[in-house]
Amino acid sequence: MQLDLNGMTPKQFLEEYWQKKPLVIRQGFKHFEDLLSPEEMAGLACEDVVESRRVFKQNNEWQAEFGPFESYEELGETDWTLIVQALNNWVPEAENLLKCFDFIPRWRLDDVMVSYATPGGGVGPHIDLYDVFICQGSGRRRWRVGDLGPHKEFAAHPALLHTEAFEPIIDVELLPGDILYLPPGYPHDGVTLEPSMSFSVGYRTASAKDMVSALADHIIDKDLCNEQIADPDRSLSNNSGIVNNSDLERIKQQLFATLDDKLVSEFSGRYLTQSKCELDLPAECLGFQVLDITEQLKQQPLVKLGGLRTLYFEASVADGVLYINGEQFTLAADITANNEAFITLLCDTQELTVEDLSPFLNDELLVTQLTTWVNAGYWYFEEVE
Ligand code: SIN
Ligand code: CO
């Protein structure tokens, strides 16, 4: 699968469109093939661990229901949509689509969402808070996009936040392989013209409110930031009720001083690698030994579990620090120089071949660590012999 951004380079796209304005990319993918069939999708949507919903209109009223779903018969042949979130956690083929967007680092990614809609189906006009590439699979869908502006939002149903009718600045019919890129804030409405599949690569956002609240939990958990405000240089004040500007500055400094690179990366590395959705992890530790791993690698690569979030910081990778699934790890390689190369390989790629890993396979400590992760289900062999 190869992405063509209307002939633009990813750099041009980032400069001109990313987080700025919507873009219709005709034939972004030549010969696009659906990542799964509607039947497979319906199969996923009947599982408890998979997040799914369907949206339809009944007597002109919007309705939304959350899965798991067993039957679709009552919905008829028109005017409904089925949505499955985090397709990349369950369907390895979704990784082929995600790879095409790797010019945006994975920590910004949320998930791949798939929607199947019957003619007339859609989720109604709404505004999203995140960037999304809506990749049209089979079928056709008409998309209308309005401009940024003060659009009134209202709950068309407790689970559906809609926006009032808007004047379109884009009104297009997407065909298989076409892509609609939307930055946050642009109202949009997709109505299906014939049974249609679309695959949305969505990005995540975190408000300062969410981050500060999670940061406070981290500080409490790890019992950090216990330094008290100190003021040995206090100057004389004539007003006992006042917090003067230098005291306000002191209070701000006390807060700012906590936010150093170490705390921010140690907190946000954990925070950003937490999975919102269930991961397809084994119920208990698998029984691989180091030797099993090195032997298996000669036959097949290790694949990173779909939806698993891994990252490192430029500032701490040389110290052997990386984050996986909400946890911080500090590697202790036999040869320190190996840390950085090993971590970038783990986090930048989705598959580890024996060639990729060959510089590290004699490093006992690294291979032992990798074995622990394979036993946890973070990387896996497709065929276990
Ligand atoms: C959909 O694919 O049905 C809805 C996607 C969206 O508008 O965010
Ligand atoms: Co949307």
Side-chain angles (χ1 to χ4, degrees), residues 81 83 113 115 122-123 126 128 130 132 134 141 143 188 198 200:
T81 301
I83 289 171
M113 179 189 103
S115 104
V123 300
H126 66 279
D128 292 317
Y130 49 79
V132 62
I134 301 171
R141 197 159 193 189
W143 284 96
H188 54 281
S198 38
S200 298

Side-chain angles (χ1 to χ4, degrees), residues 171-187:
D171 188 345
V172 285
E173 204 174 288
L174 290 195
L175 301 174
D178 291 344
I179 303 169
L180 174 64
Y181 164 70
L182 293 173
Y186 285 85

Side-chain angles (χ1 to χ4, degrees), residues 56-293:
F56 52 97
K57 261 191 191 167
Q58 208 168 42
N59 308 326
N60 239 4
E61 299 263 319
W62 285 95
Q63 302 291 336
E65 298 171 340
F66 293 88
F69 301 112
E70 267 159 29
S71 152
Y72 296 85
E73 276 161 28
E74 68 277 19
L75 293 178
E77 311 231 314
T78 58
D79 301 317
W80 60 270
T81 301
L82 168 69
I83 289 171
V84 169
Q85 289 302 146
L87 186 70
N88 49 316
N89 289 34
W90 310 106
V91 175
E93 287 71 24
E95 185 50 42
N96 302 336
L97 177 65
L98 281 180
K99 268 197 198 98
C100 300
F101 295 95
D102 269 349
F103 56 92
I104 300 155
R106 292 277 174 123
W107 76 266
R108 284 287 274 114
L109 179 75
D110 188 6
D111 69 350
V112 180
M113 179 189 103
V114 52
S115 104
Y116 169 78
T118 55
V123 300
H126 66 279
I127 295 176
D128 292 317
L129 292 174
Y130 49 79
D131 303 80
V132 62
F133 293 93
I134 301 171
C135 308
Q136 181 63 42
S138 56
R140 289 179 303 137
R141 197 159 193 189
R142 178 183 175 191
W143 284 96
R144 291 162 60 261
V145 181
D147 209 344
L148 294 175
H151 298 284
K152 239 200 213 124
E153 294 180 279
F154 60 96
H157 172 276
L160 285 177
L161 187 62
H162 277 179
T163 182
E164 284 177 340
F166 53 82
E167 194 58 42
I169 53 169
I170 290 176
D171 188 345
V172 285
E173 204 174 288
L174 290 195
L175 301 174
D178 291 344
I179 303 169
L180 174 64
Y181 164 70
L182 293 173
Y186 285 85
H188 54 281
D189 189 15
V191 180
T192 297
L193 303 168
E194 56 187 48
S196 150
M197 298 278 274
S198 38
F199 299 88
S200 298
V201 177
Y203 289 81
R204 68 197 260 163
T205 44
S207 67
K209 180 165 73 181
D210 296 343
M211 298 280 282
V212 169
S213 137
L215 174 65
D217 291 344
H218 174 78
I219 291 173
I220 293 164
D221 256 21
K222 305 273 175 215
D223 194 19
L224 304 170
C225 305
N226 290 308
E227 300 78 14
Q228 307 284 322
I229 291 188
D231 53 359
D233 54 347
R234 171 153 304 284
S235 52
L236 184 65
S237 163
N238 295 323
N239 305 78
S240 65
I242 199 173
V243 177
N244 65 21
N245 288 345
S246 76
D247 276 345
L248 176 60
E249 201 50 37
R250 211 173 249 128
I251 295 166
K252 272 165 52 189
Q253 278 313 316
Q254 166 80 344
L255 290 172
F256 288 149
T258 64
L259 293 178
D260 59 3
D261 281 4
K262 186 164 158 28
L263 180 75
V264 174
S265 63
E266 290 190 348
F267 150 69
S268 61
R270 289 176 168 92
Y271 181 75
L272 295 169
T273 55
Q274 280 161 8
S275 181
K276 278 193 322 198
C277 308
E278 193 107 12
L279 292 169
D280 196 3
L281 288 169
E284 52 194 55
C285 175
L286 305 172
F288 287 96
Q289 304 290 318
V290 168
L291 252 182
D292 304 329
I293 304 283

